[in-house]
Amino acid sequence: MSERTPTIHDVAARCGVNASTVSRAFSRPERVSPATRDRIHAIAAEMGYRPNAIARALPSGRTRTLGLLVPDITNPFFLDLIRGAERAAAAAGYTLVLADTEETSQQETTVVERLTGAVDGFVLASSRASDQRLREVHAKTRVVVVNRRVRPLPGVLIDSALGTRQAAEHLASLGHRRIAYLAGPRASWSDARRWRTLQALARHRDLEVVRIGPLAPTVEAGKAAADSAVLDDVTAVVTFNDLLAIGVLRRLRDRGIDVPGQISVVGCDDIFGADFCHPSLTTLAAPIESAGRSAVDLLLGLLAYDGPDRPRPDDTEDVVLPTSLTIRESTGPAPGRARGRSPRQRAATDRGTAKAVGASR
């Protein structure tokens, strides 16, 4: 049977001091005489005592722990963001607590309420909560948002509007005039921004843009949406994220529709594996790991303002990170209009030809 883990009371009894003195020796060492402090630290180390972070926070108000909330922990987009946040937190001597909010504002609210007080502040990535709810959280604790703009909360913005314009211009230059946008979750701030960008550009470039969604940002949702895109006779598809785009590629392949010969596909995020698709995926790339690091740096900056004579800054500037278009094999010239056949018609003709060939064997 293993030995019992020593407690703060065990250390106090061994040192001949009160438990509160042991607590101060770790949480506020300047309030304990150097000799007593050094003796407590030495005996605690000898006994294998490790002070509890929450217990240490009681007098200091700090746990040196940060909360990171993401909508879907299985989405590869968030892997680099988590990595960047973790590295920044560790470098500053903080521990990161990760939570999956399951794409719902209700779960996000529940997690924030449970962790408030147990962490020093939150990074909320692609929050699905309302602006009002985020302001309420901001009034109670330190909060930084990623991919969201809610004043007065500080945030890290990935400028997907810039990349969306690049994607639309790229498709227009290839002769595409009717494009489908596969929208993301209804509560996504970045999704709404991309749709507005596409609409504005369509007016200037004489493009037709069809919105399909809102959709769950998953491969399966992309497969289902691909059929809608074919029915809408588009020659190109721009998706909310790469998972949707991968679903589109798979469904079009199953239907015998050539990419990019009949339909071009553009994703967003450049997740791991986007270049392994067949064909490899043209997508919007963003410095996701930098977003995670920047968000934690902003949060630590807010925490540095604690104190009666150091008010919380509400005028912190957002960090804006650029996106860029990475062109691969999934985009190409629009199918020739001279032949007067849409992608749907061409796919039907190809299937008919295949059946005829099969029957003649």
Side-chain angles (χ1 to χ4, degrees):
M1 184 176 179
S2 60
E3 295 184 2
R4 181 176 64 87
T5 301
T7 68
I8 191 171
H9 298 285
D10 297 326
V11 176
R14 178 84 173 271
C15 295
V17 298
N18 294 326
S20 60
T21 303
V22 176
S23 177
R24 283 194 297 272
F26 287 98
S27 62
R28 293 188 174 181
E30 72 280 359
R31 297 183 59 183
V32 181
S33 68
T36 301
R37 181 186 63 224
D38 293 346
R39 183 165 176 267
I40 290 173
H41 286 180
I43 291 177
E46 179 186 327
M47 296 176 67
Y49 169 73
R50 301 185 67 179
N52 180 272
I54 302 300
R56 288 169 60 188
L58 295 178
S60 66
R62 289 292 182 84
T63 65
R64 299 195 71 79
T65 304
L66 307 176
L68 171 61
L69 277 60
V70 300
D72 181 3
I73 200 172
T74 66
N75 187 331
F77 169 81
F78 293 108
L79 297 180
D80 283 341
L81 187 139
I82 293 168
R83 181 183 295 112
E86 169 62 30
R87 288 176 175 173
Y94 279 74
T95 298
L96 198 68
V97 175
L98 178 65
D100 184 343
T101 62
E102 301 175 3
E103 290 283 358
T104 69
S105 59
Q106 294 88 347
Q107 180 67 6
E108 184 176 320
T109 296
T110 298
V111 173
V112 168
E113 289 176 348
R114 288 176 178 172
L115 289 180
T116 296
V119 299
D120 295 334
F122 293 93
V123 173
L124 305 182
S126 300
S127 173
R128 305 310 187 209
S130 66
D131 289 2
Q132 179 59 33
R133 176 55 188 159
L134 290 176
R135 292 189 183 102
E136 290 171 359
V137 174
H138 174 68
K140 298 177 182 178
T141 186
R142 300 294 193 257
V143 182
V144 170
V145 290
V146 178
N147 260 359
R148 188 72 179 268
R149 175 170 281 152
V150 183
R151 296 303 187 195
L153 282 70
V156 178
L157 301 177
I158 297 172
D159 188 7
S160 57
L162 172 62
T164 302
R165 284 194 295 272
Q166 293 176 358
E169 293 282 4
H170 169 63
L171 292 173
S173 73
L174 292 171
H176 295 277
R177 290 295 176 265
R178 185 168 169 82
I179 300 169
Y181 175 62
L182 272 54
R186 189 183 306 276
S188 170
W189 179 86
S190 59
D191 175 76
R193 195 157 185 250
R194 288 174 205 168
W195 175 238
R196 288 194 299 269
T197 300
L198 283 174
Q199 286 180 303
L201 190 61
R203 288 191 292 268
H204 290 290
R205 292 298 302 263
D206 192 26
L207 303 175
E208 290 183 79
V209 183
V210 178
R211 181 183 175 93
I212 300 174
L215 303 166
T218 65
V219 172
E220 290 305 315
K223 290 181 180 179
D227 291 332
S228 297
V230 172
L231 286 173
D232 281 322
D233 284 344
V234 301
T235 62
V237 174
V238 178
T239 66
F240 169 74
N241 73 349
D242 284 345
L243 294 181
L244 283 169
I246 290 170
V248 170
L249 290 178
R250 291 181 180 178
R251 180 58 178 160
L252 294 181
R253 179 195 60 200
D254 292 343
R255 292 190 58 169
I257 297 175
D258 180 59
V259 177
Q262 293 172 260
I263 296 182
S264 290
V265 179
V266 179
C268 182
D269 298 337
D270 199 18
I271 62 173
F272 176 79
D275 54 340
F276 298 158
C277 298
H278 182 70
S280 58
L281 184 62
T282 294
T283 184
L284 307 183
I288 309 302
E289 186 170 332
S290 294
R293 288 197 304 267
S294 297
V296 168
D297 288 343
L298 275 180
L299 183 54
L300 295 176
L302 290 181
L303 293 172
Y305 277 81
D306 275 343
D309 57 346
R310 304 188 73 184
R312 167 172 22 200
D314 280 342
D315 58 350
T316 304
E317 291 293 326
D318 290 327
V319 174
V320 180
L321 302 174
T323 56
S324 59
L325 184 66
T326 299
I327 300 174
R328 297 194 180 104
E329 298 169 342
S330 67
T331 51
R337 294 180 180 274
R339 287 179 289 178
R341 293 191 298 162
S342 69
R344 180 175 57 175
Q345 293 168 331
R346 293 179 66 189
T349 301
D350 292 345
R351 288 195 300 273
T353 301
K355 289 180 181 177
V357 171
S360 66
R361 288 180 180 175

